[in-house]
Amino acid sequence: MANGGPVEHGFPHLETVREAVTALYRRLSYDTVRTFSASVAPVDVAFCDTDDLYLGTQRVAHELVRHYRLPDARMIVSFREMTHAANVELTAGPEYFIELNDRFRTHRRDIGAALAHEVMHVYLHRLDLSFPSTRANEILTDTATTYLGAGWLLLDAYREDAASSQKLGYLTPEEFGYVLAKRALVFGEDPSVWFTSPQAYTAYGRGMARARRDAQQPPLTAAGWAGRRRYARDRRHAQDPHAAGAAADGDAYSFSAQPPGQLRVSFPCPTCHQRIRVPVRGRVRARCGLCRTVLECDT
C-alpha cells in the first residue's frame, strides 16, 4: 500500500500480467470466465461513514464472497496496525480470517478494494492456482481480481496529488487500467462510469490504449503500416533456410519451419495471450482454442 509515498507508474509487470490472464483461462475455462460478465456493482460495496464499521465490513465481504461464488466461505474481518493494506490467513476453510490496516477505520470507502484482493486470495487458494514467487503471486491476485470483475475498486482507490498519495495492490495504476480494459473489450463493459478518483480515469485511458495495441500487432490484419512492413521483412528473413526462427523485436511473433518446408508463424492471442500458430499463406482466419477469439490474420 502506497500511503503518502511515491507511486510507481507505467507497465513494469506487463509480462506477468499477461501470463496471469492466460493462467486464468487455462484454470477456469472459457465458460467459467464468461460467468463473470457482470462486475461488482458500486451499490453492493458502498460504505457510508454512518455505517457500523464491523457490520458494514462483514456486509461488503459477504458481497465479494457472493461475487466470487464462494458460498461456503465465511470471512472474519478485523483491524490492526500493519504495513500492508490487508492480510488473509489461508486455511482449509470454511472460515478465513482477514486483517485490514487500521487506516481503513477512517478510510471506509476503500474497504471494498482491500477486501476484493484478499477474498481473491481465498478464491485462487481453492483453485490451487498460484505463481512461484510471492511478488508474481500478488500480481496474479490483482490481475484475477480485476479480470473477474472486482478490480475496478482497486484502481478507484488510487489517488495522488502534490501533497499525498494512495494506491492499493501490486499493479501500477496503468496496469490496473490495462487489465480493466482487456476485460471491457471482452464483455463490452465501461467501468469508468464507476470511478470516483480523477486519477483512475487517466490510468484507465492509458491502459486502454495499451490494450488496443495488442490487437494491432502483425500478423493481425488490424496491424498498422509500420508493423506490416516490419513483419514482411522478418518473413523474408525467415524464408531463408539459414535464418529460420527469426523473430520480431520483443518476440511478439516468431517463425518456424515445422514440418520442414512449411513456414508457420506463432503470435500471442490479443485476448488471453496464449500463443497461436498458423501457416504462412496470406489471409487466414484463426480461432484461439483457449478463449475462442476469432482472429483475422494476414500471414
Side-chain angles (χ1 to χ4, degrees), residues 121-150:
H121 269 302
V122 174
Y123 183 77
L124 295 176
H125 175 69
R126 289 192 167 196
L127 284 177
D128 194 25
L129 176 58
S130 64
F131 279 0
S133 71
T134 299
R135 187 168 188 81
N137 203 51
E138 293 291 351
I139 292 171
L140 167 65
T141 304
D142 274 344
T143 303
T145 303
T146 306
Y147 204 85
L148 299 183

Side-chain angles (χ1 to χ4, degrees), residues 11 177-178 181 203-216:
F11 300 91
Y178 173 82
Y204 178 64
R206 291 172 179 167
M208 177 61 81
R210 190 61 178 257
R212 291 192 185 280
R213 280 169 52 186
D214 290 347
Q216 297 169 350

Side-chain angles (χ1 to χ4, degrees), residues 21 103 113 121 143 150 161 165 193 224 227 273:
V21 173
R103 170 185 174 85
H121 269 302
T143 303
D161 56 37
S165 65
V193 299
H273 302 287

Side-chain angles (χ1 to χ4, degrees), residues 21-22 25 147 182 186 214 268-274 291 293 295:
V21 173
T22 306
Y25 273 97
Y147 204 85
K182 301 291 280 189
V186 168
D214 290 347
C269 170
T271 298
C272 70
H273 302 287
Q274 174 177 257
C291 69
T293 301
L295 304 169

Side-chain angles (χ1 to χ4, degrees), residues 22-259:
T22 306
L24 272 180
Y25 273 97
R26 284 178 177 164
R27 185 65 182 87
L28 292 179
S29 81
Y30 165 84
D31 291 326
T32 302
V33 170
R34 296 297 299 188
T35 65
F36 289 91
S37 59
S39 287
V40 172
V43 66
D44 292 335
V45 291
F47 209 119
C48 178
D49 287 341
T50 59
D51 290 343
D52 179 271
L53 176 62
Y54 291 96
L55 292 179
T57 300
Q58 290 298 148
R59 173 182 56 80
V60 173
H62 175 74
E63 286 297 332
L64 290 164
V65 166
R66 183 192 59 80
H67 176 75
Y68 294 139
R69 295 165 181 81
L70 294 168
D72 60 338
R74 297 189 296 273
M75 305 296 152
I76 311 301
V77 186
S78 62
F79 296 81
R80 72 173 177 89
E81 290 186 10
M82 57 196 301
T83 303
H84 298 292
N87 181 62
V88 62
E89 181 182 343
L90 295 176
T91 63
E95 291 186 340
Y96 297 88
F97 295 90
I98 296 176
E99 295 177 318
L100 297 183
N101 193 301
D102 262 341
R103 170 185 174 85
F104 294 113
R105 290 179 182 272
T106 55
H107 293 74
R108 298 184 180 187
R109 68 189 247 187
D110 299 321
I111 285 177
L115 288 175
H117 178 95
E118 300 308 317
V119 178
M120 177 53 71
H121 269 302
V122 174
Y123 183 77
L124 295 176
H125 175 69
R126 289 192 167 196
L127 284 177
D128 194 25
L129 176 58
S130 64
F131 279 0
S133 71
T134 299
R135 187 168 188 81
N137 203 51
E138 293 291 351
I139 292 171
L140 167 65
T141 304
D142 274 344
T143 303
T145 303
T146 306
Y147 204 85
L148 299 183
W152 69 267
L153 290 162
L154 285 160
L155 180 55
D156 195 43
Y158 161 57
R159 291 180 285 278
E160 187 174 18
D161 56 37
S164 63
S165 65
Q166 174 183 280
K167 185 189 76 69
L168 304 182
Y170 286 71
L171 300 185
T172 67
E174 292 78 12
E175 288 168 340
F176 274 120
Y178 173 82
V179 182
L180 273 176
K182 301 291 280 189
R183 172 184 167 80
L185 293 171
V186 168
F187 294 114
E189 184 179 72
D190 181 11
S192 66
V193 299
W194 302 321
F195 295 153
T196 61
S197 165
Q199 292 79 22
Y201 287 98
T202 302
Y204 178 64
R206 291 172 179 167
M208 177 61 81
R210 190 61 178 257
R212 291 192 185 280
R213 280 169 52 186
D214 290 347
Q216 297 169 350
Q217 301 299 315
L220 300 174
T221 57
W225 176 82
R228 295 297 311 157
R229 183 174 181 180
R230 184 181 71 248
Y231 177 84
R233 181 200 63 202
D234 292 331
R235 181 178 57 199
R236 288 194 301 270
H237 184 63
Q239 287 168 338
D240 180 345
H242 301 291
D249 292 341
D251 199 28
Y253 54 82
S254 60
F255 296 95
S256 63
Q258 294 178 348

